Amino acid sequence: ERTRLAKKTDYVLEVFKPGFHSFAVSLHYKRGPITLEAITLVEETIQVQDHGENLDPTLYADPTHSAGANYEGQ
């Protein structure tokens, strides 16, 4: 999309897409057309590691119940 830019002004162009890291580039606009390098967005990823432990919640005591006080202090 085209938009008018004020002359002799600094701008930050931010590109974003769900599932990708956002990318920002600063530029100073003087006049005339602007040409930028190609932008490659990097996909957001997570790394999952298997620790070999059995994390089945039924194997552990219920941490939401305690002997004694409750959340109201009784």
Side-chain angles (χ1 to χ4, degrees):
E1 185 176 321
R2 293 179 178 242
T3 186
R4 282 203 174 276
L5 301 177
K7 293 179 181 176
K8 298 181 181 178
T9 304
D10 292 320
Y11 289 94
V12 175
L13 173 67
E14 185 173 11
V15 180
F16 57 93
K17 181 178 180 179
F20 291 82
H21 292 279
S22 62
F23 176 83
V25 62
S26 298
L27 59 105
H28 180 79
Y29 177 69
K30 293 180 184 177
R31 65 182 177 98
I34 297 174
T35 304
L36 299 174
E37 298 283 329
I39 296 171
T40 302
L41 296 179
V42 178
E43 190 172 6
E44 290 180 343
T45 59
I46 60 170
Q47 184 177 15
V48 178
Q49 295 178 352
D50 183 11
H51 290 285
E53 296 178 48
N54 188 346
L55 301 178
D56 183 355
T58 61
L59 298 176
Y60 302 96
D62 187 355
T64 60
H65 296 89
S66 62
N70 61 22
Y71 290 109
E72 286 79 32
Q74 297 176 350

